[in-house]
Each structure stands twice: as C-alpha cells, then as structure tokens.
Amino acid sequence: MAQAHIPGFSRIGAQRELKFALEGFWRGSIDEATLRDTGRLLRTRHWTLQAQAGLDWVTVGDFAWYDQILGMLALLGAAPSRFGFDPVHLSLTDYFTLARGGKDHFAMEMTKWFDTNYHYLVPEWTADLRFDGGVDWLFDEVREAAMLGHRVKVALPGPLTLLYLGKIKSGLSHKLDLLPRVMEGYRKVLARLKSMGVEWVQIDEPILALELDARWREAFLPTYASLAGVAPSLLLTSYFDGVADCAALLRELPVAGIHLDLVRCPGQLEAFAADWPQDRVLSLGVVDGRNIWRTDLDAVLNIVTPLHSQRGDGLWLASSCSLLHVPVDLAQEKEKEKEKESGLDAELKSWFAFGVQKLEELGALKTALNQGPDAVRAALDRSRAAAGSRKVSARIHNSLVKKRSAALTDGDAQRLSPFAVRIAAQHARWNLPAFPTTTIGSFPQTAEIRQARAAYRRGDLGHLDYLQKMREEIRFAVAKQEEIALDVLVHGEPERNDMVEYFGEQLWGYAISANGWVQSYGSRCVKPPVIYGDVYRPEAMTVEWSRFAQSLTSRPMKGMLTGPVTMLQWSFVRDDQPRETTALQIALALRDEVADLEKAGIGMIQIDEPAFREGLPLKQRDWPAYLEWAVRAFRISAAAAADETQIHTHMCYSEFNDILPWIAAMDADVITIETSRSDMELLEGFGQFAYPNDIGPGVYDIHSPRVPKIEEMQRLLRKAMEVIPPERLWINPDCGLKTRGWTETLEALSNMVRAACLLREELPGSMQSPAREFA
Ligand code: GLN
Ligand code: ZN
C-alpha cells in the first residue's frame, strides 16, 4: 500500500493566527501561556487536517515560533554564544531575542532559504559552541501529537545543511570543523526520539541539490553512518532541484529512504526509479509545494502507478517540499463582492490548490493507487476539469500577446544608441550637477495614507476623494524634495500598497487573493499575486500620477515601475509555460508603460529589479540560461526609450559581485544599489569590473530611524570615488523610504544633499556643474 505524507506544513495559520499572537506577545498584550496555546491550537489543527486527508503520517517538527533553523539550534543547544544564554534553559523570550535582537544584542542575521522568499536565521559558528542539548520543545510536540492518536513522523533540518547554512564568526577554519560536535548533538536528539517510539525521522538536506564540493559530499557518508546507528528510520529529504548528481552517494548512505522533488526536477526519477533498493522507501514529491496550481492527478498517476506495482509499501507520495511556501487554505477565499476588493472568483478557485487542498490531493492520489481510480472519481474529475479549462480558457490565452512575444527580435532589446551617446544626450537635456541626488521611489507610508487606501477599497472613500487625497500626498512629497533641493524627484508612491501587487491589480492575467498569505520571516507574511494568464496591459498604470507629479516641478521627475523579473519572482507563476515566456509578456506590458510615460513628458524612468538575483537557479551551471532571459526581459521593457530618456534601475539586499557582467548587460543608464550595510564593499566589485554606466551606491541604510551624519555619508562617498569615476556617481539612500517617518527622512535627506554639495566643491572647477562636460 502506498503511503502519503508531507515534508512540512505552514505554521502561520489560515487567518495568520500565529502572526497576531506573536505580535501581541511582543507588544506585551498577551502572555506566554496564551501564545503557547495559539501554537498548540495551530499544530493540532494542522495535524488533524493531515490525518483527515488520509495521510499516513502527521509531520511534527515543522512548527517554529519564528524559524525552523533557529528551532534546530535551540534543540541542539547551539544558539549564538555572543548572546550569553544558557542553552539548556533557553526561554521563549531568549529565543525571540536571538531572532529580533534586544537592547544589548543585535539580532541574528537573516537570509533567504535557497531560492524561496522565506528567510531563515543564520547560525553563527564559533569554536565555543557545544551542541550538548537544549530545549525540549520538539519532544513535547511529539508527545502532543501522539496523545492525539497520530502516527508521527518527525522532520528536522539535517546536520550538513545546518552547518552549511551557518556563517563562521570566529575560531574555525572550516564549518566542517564543527561536524563531530554537531553529529554528537544529532545523535542525542535522534536517540531520544527513537526511545520515545518515533519510527521515522525526515532529515532535510536540501544542500544536496546544490553543486557541493568534494569536502561537503564526502562528509555525508560518515555522518549518516554515525546517525543511522542510533536513529529511527531516516528519510533523507532534498527539494528545490534534482539530486541525480548524487545518486551513487545516496545509494551508499545507510538511510531508510529518500525524498525527491519531482515537481522541480521530474527528470531525476530516472536516476532512481530502476535501482533504488526495493527495501528502502522512495518518497516522491509530486504535488507542487512552491506553487498554487491544482495537481494534474492523471499525469501523476501515470508516473507513479508502475512504481507502485514494483514497490508497494515502499512508495510514498508527498508534496515536493514543505507547504510552508504556499498559502494555507483556499476555502478562506471568499468571493469578492466589490470591484476594488481582492479575491478570487469561482473559476480561478477551481484552478488552485492551497495547502489544505494539496493535502486532499495527496490523499486522493494515495487512494487511487491503493484502491483504484474509481474510489476517487470526484477528485479526478475536478483535476481533469481544471486541467482542461486551463488549456482553452479565453481568460488565460490571449493570441495578441502570444503573437507579439513571438515576433520580438534582438533589435527590440536594444536601445537606439550606446551608453556614451545616450548619457551625453541626457546631460544636455537636464544639465544636472555632478553627484546628482535622488531617492529610490517611496516616501513614508503614513497611517493616514494606508487608511485612505483601505477606505477606498471598502468603498467608504469615493474615487475622486481618493485621487484628491493621493494628490495631496504627492504635492507634499514634491514640495519637501524641492525644499531639500534634491536634483531628481520622485512622486513617493503613496498609491501603492506593494510594488508588485499594485501592478498585478492592473494587468490582465494577474489575480490577487484576499488571504493567500505566506510566511516570509518571523511574523511577517507576503501575499504574492498569481499570474494565471497571458499578461496584457489594458491601459496605462502609472502615467497620471507621474504626469501630475511632474506638473508640480521643473526638476526631473522619475517614473517608477517594477521590473519584469521582480514581478515574476514575487508572484506565483504559471506552470503551463516557461517562466521566461511569462517574464517576456510582463516586459512587453512595461515597455508600453515606458512609452506612455515618455509621451507624457517623463524623461527619467526607473524600473526596479530588487529580486533580480533571487531568480538564480540553485546550480551554478544553470545560471547563464536564466541570466540570459532575465537580462533580455529587462532590456525589452526599457529599450523603446529614446536616447534622451534616462532609464534607471534599482537593486538591493543581495550579493551582486558574481553577476556584475549581467547587471551591466541590462544597460540601464543609472543603477541605484544598496551598499551602505556592507560599508561599500560591494563597490569594489563594481570598480574591479569597471561597471560602465552611471551608478548610485546607497549612502545610508533605510532600515533604521537613525539620521546619518553628513561626515559619515561623505566618508562613504569618498570610498565610492576610489572605484567609480566621479562623473558617473549618483547619491541616494539604499532603498525606498516607505517604512520611515517624515521627520527622520527629511533630516537624513538634507544631510545627504549637504554631503553631495560639499563633495562637489572638492571637484575641479570644470566638473562642478551645472554644465557637466566630460567624456
Ligand atoms: N521603488 C521602490 C521603493 O522605493 C523600490 C523598493 C525595493 O527596492 N524593494 O519602495
Ligand atoms: Zn530596494
């Protein structure tokens, strides 16, 4: 009999219950007992859902108060030592201090979990860490599930992935130096689970999907040989890409089973199907844990039915990865009542499966294998109907869009003239001083702005009143920027709740759910829009706001767009066509927007790509293919601009040095980029590579209300000038200012402008402007 399980479930709750409980606890409005009750309630609910769907195991260990990697450190007693907490008696409050910082400690660093938008807390490896054991929370949860009568499978991040994802802070020459201690820690945890009667532990080693060097690969065999001796049966789990490269290694490991992500990499089944030992479990991730589409059950059954007759009990069906990465329950999506409301209609809902629906799909697949398809007729019919209507729906397929994408030529991705010619035309048009000052786009999103937007959505604020209100905000932002004497202005983005959702709402082919929340980190959730059809721009999206803003000033006003790669990366995307095709369609919509902005007299247009790097595949050998289409999509969106129209782009919070040639290939006239957190280290890369176009390294971090001093920014600018020719240097903050308050923003920007002025005075007279003559 085939079995079914999931690598993990979302913990935030269908109504974001955990988020609100956490935030209540941090504010002091609920006590720890109430918070713990909420956690217990959610775990109970999620296990019940798994059991009701007919899964054979409920997964324990996927719950986390903040993050599963921090949870693993707490379990092992390996929280960063600089906090000075007693590992064995770590309190929940200590745990939150690790995650969020406290008055004496800055928070642990946070970074993206592989290629997802989930952020984990980065372990801090120091020679003094002990791994001797920590909190008992996991064991309590196992007992909790067992008391409820569930069959328990525990899920844990694996020791090598844990080590790999941490950062060496001191006293170690290689992360693997810690392996003997980590292994001891895991042995203790696993032995204790076994003594509690746990039969299976799913041990996640997603690093297997990377291109590991020999030293890391070679660490697997001794590690698992040591763990297998004391542990319950181990299900070695990988996801987010294929592990066929490691097939031989996996066969050697003394584990009782492996889990493969067949959604991301269906081809890898070939490397395992024939000769994976019959007495070991093969868990196949066939339901997409990263996307919201209903599974094509027939297609899955075609693949797994022959395997089932060979393997029987040894075949497990699963979601490709933890359901942490999809919203919890489609049933929460009430149909939208008002035009402006978010929400999904019945047809869209018939195409989607969120977490709970994915459990049901797994239950149906398992039943179909064990009892024959007739036992799940209704589920198969629903799946067929969805697949069938998605193939033909006029909402999805737009022949105009398809024709236009197919007709694109290399010339369409090419600006009229090379950068040197364009920048000369742009200088002649604006005559900006050296070191032009600007901002990244958003200004403080005050409570007032958010209330007005919400009232408009509810229908409590009329259309004209809303326009009026937003125009007042823009007028205010423009007046302030003129007062401070910034050189290039922005309208401030008061009308945007989110830089992707705002465009998603206006483009055909995009749907915005009302409740499709996914945990991003801690209590923070995002609600990615869904791209379900060919993307088409029915009308201009930003032009009236920009035109109005420009009418208020004689200084250049930047139009503000979200780039094709970021639109793609921060949405749930179609699974019926390559990502690249969707990116190109978005690029075409943006290309028309650029043209309309230009026609409306907007001479500078910024196309933000903060998520450009996030799209990189896990395996470096796959990078060039991605970068090629990603760069092309950006260029398609920008290339129709005239020479004297200045195209800006913006990127932030990623490592850029290893993709600089590609960033240069995007050929934006100006890039503004976050750098101040790394004290301009990033710029060394830009200097060495000799980045050819204009560049604005962020001179202050926008994440803190702290107002940077003039001298600090001057120091950073001088550093920047060591690697970037002064005539190509812009001055700006790291990122948008929407999370800041006006008071600190105005002070910080005034200081920034002052720093620019002082620096200009140091330049030779000929370069001080207004007539910037060079090249
Ligand atoms: N233009 C956007 C803003 O200023 C850019 C945000 C981002 O880079 N994430 O808010
Ligand atoms: Zn940014």
Side-chain angles (χ1 to χ4, degrees), residues 1-2 53-54 56 301 305 308 317 363-377 380:
M1 299 273 262
D56 297 275
L301 286 172
T305 305
H308 182 232
L317 298 174
L365 283 167
K366 173 191 131 175
T367 307
L369 282 186
N370 293 342
Q371 300 169 30
D374 282 338
V376 289
R377 205 31 68 208
L380 287 175

Side-chain angles (χ1 to χ4, degrees), residues 440 499 608 610 650-653 674 734-736:
I440 306 304
M499 65 187 291
D608 287 326
H650 163 72
M651 292 185 189
C652 48
Y653 311 110
E674 167 261 341
D734 262 352
C735 191

Side-chain angles (χ1 to χ4, degrees), residues 61-117:
D62 54 353
F63 180 81
W65 293 110
Y66 199 98
D67 166 51
Q68 71 265 16
I69 293 296
L70 178 57
M72 192 67 220
L73 296 177
L75 177 65
L76 292 167
S81 52
R82 65 180 168 90
F83 287 82
F85 294 139
D86 170 3
V88 184
H89 301 106
L90 191 79
S91 70
L92 200 49
T93 304
D94 297 340
Y95 171 100
F96 289 132
T97 303
L98 295 164
R100 309 174 66 228
K103 61 179 187 334
D104 303 321
H105 304 280
F106 54 91
M108 289 172 70
E109 195 187 321
M110 190 165 73
T111 196
K112 286 195 188 238
W113 178 244
F114 298 88
D115 60 353
T116 74
N117 224 332

Side-chain angles (χ1 to χ4, degrees), residues 411-623:
D412 294 324
Q414 191 66 49
R415 295 282 295 273
L416 207 57
S417 309
F419 173 71
V421 176
R422 300 192 315 255
I423 198 77
Q426 294 159 16
H427 285 156
R429 178 170 180 184
W430 286 292
N431 218 1
L432 293 177
F435 310 129
T437 52
T438 190
T439 61
I440 306 304
S442 57
F443 272 118
Q445 291 246 333
T446 57
E448 221 183 310
I449 294 180
R450 279 182 272 123
Q451 277 155 17
R453 265 201 324 257
Y456 175 53
R457 267 163 199 280
R458 282 195 311 271
D460 295 347
L461 186 66
H463 187 61
L464 289 179
D465 292 332
Y466 170 73
L467 288 186
Q468 200 50 42
K469 178 87 194 99
M470 291 300 119
R471 284 185 163 208
E472 273 165 34
E473 289 297 335
I474 293 172
R475 197 187 292 280
F476 178 79
V478 172
K480 287 297 170 197
Q481 293 172 85
E482 290 209 308
E483 244 169 66
I484 297 172
L486 283 157
D487 299 303
V488 171
L489 311 196
V490 297
H491 77 287
E493 305 177 25
E495 78 288 8
R496 303 183 192 181
N497 43 352
D498 172 275
M499 65 187 291
V500 172
E501 189 170 295
Y502 177 76
F503 290 95
E505 276 172 344
Q506 302 185 68
L507 289 166
W508 290 10
Y510 261 92
I512 316 287
S513 70
N515 240 314
W517 297 100
V518 179
Q519 186 178 19
S520 171
Y521 63 90
S523 70
R524 289 287 279 272
C525 300
V526 294
K527 186 158 66 69
V530 181
I531 308 176
Y532 64 86
D534 289 333
V535 175
Y536 175 77
R537 187 193 73 134
E539 57 190 11
M541 303 180 282
T542 64
V543 173
E544 285 318 309
W545 299 116
S546 288
R547 190 206 306 272
F548 172 71
Q550 182 67 83
S551 77
L552 302 171
T553 178
S554 56
R555 295 172 189 247
M557 173 65 56
K558 273 194 287 191
M560 209 45 74
L561 306 175
T562 303
V565 180
T566 299
M567 288 295 293
L568 188 79
Q569 208 54 37
W570 290 351
S571 304
F572 287 116
V573 298
R574 294 172 68 167
D575 62 352
D576 59 348
Q577 69 183 20
R579 297 172 77 79
E580 131 178 38
T581 308
T582 306
L584 214 57
Q585 294 179 352
I586 302 170
L588 281 173
L590 291 168
R591 182 180 176 96
D592 293 345
E593 187 73 9
V594 167
D596 282 346
L597 282 167
E598 212 174 32
K599 262 185 256 159
I602 305 298
M604 293 189 184
I605 301 167
Q606 179 171 313
I607 306 175
D608 287 326
E609 284 290 22
F612 189 79
R613 194 200 153 86
E614 281 169 35
L616 281 178
L618 293 188
K619 293 186 172 46
Q620 210 151 345
R621 62 174 183 247
D622 300 330
W623 283 17

